[in-house]
Each structure stands twice: as structure tokens, then as C-alpha cells.
Amino acid sequence: MTREELLQELEQLKDEGKYPNIDRETAQYMYDLIVDAQLTSIFEFGAANGYSTIWLAMAAQAIGGQVITTEWGKERFAVLLENLQASGLDSYVTAHNRDALEVIAEVDKIDFSFIDAMARQYIDYFKALEPHLSDHAIVVADNVVSHREKLQDFLEYVKMSPQYTSEELALGKGILVIRKK
Ligand SMILES: C[S@@+](CC[C@H](N)C(=O)[O-])C[C@H]1O[C@@H](n2cnc3c(N)ncnc32)[C@H](O)[C@@H]1O
């Protein structure tokens, strides 16, 4: 199976409601962001079966970067590893079957992060991420339209923090793109 066929198969599973993945438009947007700004050190909160992870890994491959991802569900983690192997990009990804909050505490500098795990915890993820963000870091948070109520504290925190600029884009379930000033 080619990588494109794998992506299409995963998109079909998403359309059937089996996995809550981002759509291709959002994935392509993040790919372009990472490649254009050469954001080589990438951290993902919530991989599920790895659709977004494969896109992050494609970007990492294009610029000589590396992805650290996290998925605490046992079954989903097993599927994630299978899909990463099928994509041929597993050497660009270190995947952890643990709480993302534990893993982020152990990493060094992060240039790009994708937050797509539990809505009520975005504020915790972001605060845990902050000490690791490099000067030119970009963070993308998913579901800011679909889960706006649950993300209120996070959205407020980002807006009130003078060291960031942020913009909301109407891609997929709504993403917030946060840039360090
Ligand atoms: C929306 S899905 C991720 C979809 C994936 N980013 C994609 O677009 O292909 C969210 C995933 O985060 C996982 N998750 C939630 N909280 C987590 C945590 N604290 N640490 C690790 N994984 C977590 C869930 O098990 C779920 O599979």
C-alpha cells in the first residue's frame, strides 16, 4: 500500500466515525507551517491511530526533523504503531503510550506542537509546554470551535499572555494558531 492509499484508508475510517482525526485540509495546513518555518522539533498531544502523526512525520522528513507523539489508549497505541510502520515514517517518530503531561516534562526544546487530546486539559497541556517552547515556536490547538466552551480557560489564557499572538482559522473543527512573539 502506498502512503497516499494509507492516508485515504484512514480518512475513510474517520468518515465512518471510527477515529476522531483531523481532516486533510488541517493536516496540510500544519505540514506547510512546519516546512515553511523549518520547525524541526515537533510534539503532539493525542495521536489516536496516527493520521495527524503521519502528516507531522511527513513534514519532519521534509526538513530533517523529529516528532514526539503521545497516545495513552492501549488499543489506539497499537494501531498507531502499525500505521506509522505502514507509512514508512516510523524512524521520524518517537511514540509514547503514556499521559502526554508526563512525556512533555521530559522533552527538550519544542518548535511546533499540535494539541488534540482532552479539551478540558488544553490549559494544562499548554502551561506544561510553555517552558519548552523555542523562541520561534508555533502551537496549533484543534477543536476551538467545536469545543469552545470547554476551552474557555485555555483561550482566555493565550489571549491574555503578552508573549503570544494567536489567530483562529476555520479549518476542520476550528484551529487556534499560536505564535511566540
Ligand atoms: C482527537 S484524538 C487525536 C486525533 C489525532 N490527533 C488525529 O487527528 O489523527 C485524541 C486522542 O488523545 C488521546 N488522549 C487524551 N488525553 C491524553 C493524554 N493526557 N495523554 C495521551 N493521550 C491522550 C485519546 O486517547 C485520543 O485517542
Side-chain angles (χ1 to χ4, degrees):
M1 189 190 293
T2 65
R3 190 177 303 150
E4 179 54 31
E5 284 166 350
L6 172 65
L7 289 172
Q8 285 179 19
E9 189 179 289
L10 297 182
E11 284 162 4
Q12 197 175 330
L13 290 176
K14 172 198 176 245
D15 292 344
E16 290 166 8
K18 300 224 167 81
Y19 291 98
N21 309 110
I22 53 170
D23 60 20
R24 186 174 283 240
E25 209 186 359
T26 309
Q28 181 74 58
Y29 176 79
M30 291 201 290
Y31 175 96
D32 292 341
L33 258 188
I34 292 167
V35 173
D36 289 350
Q38 300 276 301
L39 305 170
T40 53
S41 178
I42 300 162
F43 188 93
E44 181 177 45
F45 291 82
N49 61 340
Y51 179 76
S52 56
T53 319
I54 292 170
W55 278 91
L56 298 177
M58 289 195 291
Q61 182 186 40
I63 57 171
Q66 274 291 323
V67 180
I68 298 170
T69 193
T70 53
E71 172 50 54
W72 65 9
K74 282 252 170 309
E75 281 173 27
R76 284 187 174 184
F77 187 74
V79 180
L80 165 68
L81 294 187
E82 273 172 29
N83 287 333
L84 286 176
Q85 203 171 18
S87 74
L89 293 165
D90 41 340
S91 64
Y92 293 94
V93 182
T94 305
H96 296 269
N97 187 204
R98 291 158 62 201
D99 187 336
L101 282 171
E102 273 176 35
V103 182
I104 190 67
E106 297 164 8
V107 305
D108 197 11
K109 282 287 167 215
I110 297 297
D111 301 315
F112 180 87
S113 184
F114 179 44
I115 302 180
D116 190 21
M118 299 237 298
R120 290 222 187 269
Q121 284 205 293
Y122 276 33
I123 182 77
D124 303 323
Y125 304 144
F126 191 74
K127 285 182 176 173
L129 188 58
E130 281 190 288
H132 304 277
L133 292 176
S134 62
D135 289 344
H136 54 292
I138 300 179
V139 178
V140 170
D142 193 28
N143 304 314
V144 299
V145 172
S146 60
H147 293 67
R148 185 176 294 284
E149 225 170 90
K150 290 182 180 166
L151 296 179
Q152 224 33 268
D153 52 357
F154 163 72
L155 297 171
E156 196 65 19
Y157 179 81
V158 171
K159 209 166 76 185
M160 299 306 284
S161 301
Q163 65 269 43
Y164 308 110
T165 59
S166 62
E167 61 174 331
E168 203 176 293
L169 300 180
L171 290 175
K173 294 173 180 167
I175 60 171
L176 187 70
V177 183
I178 305 160
R179 290 182 169 83
K180 256 187 131 170
K181 277 186 193 163

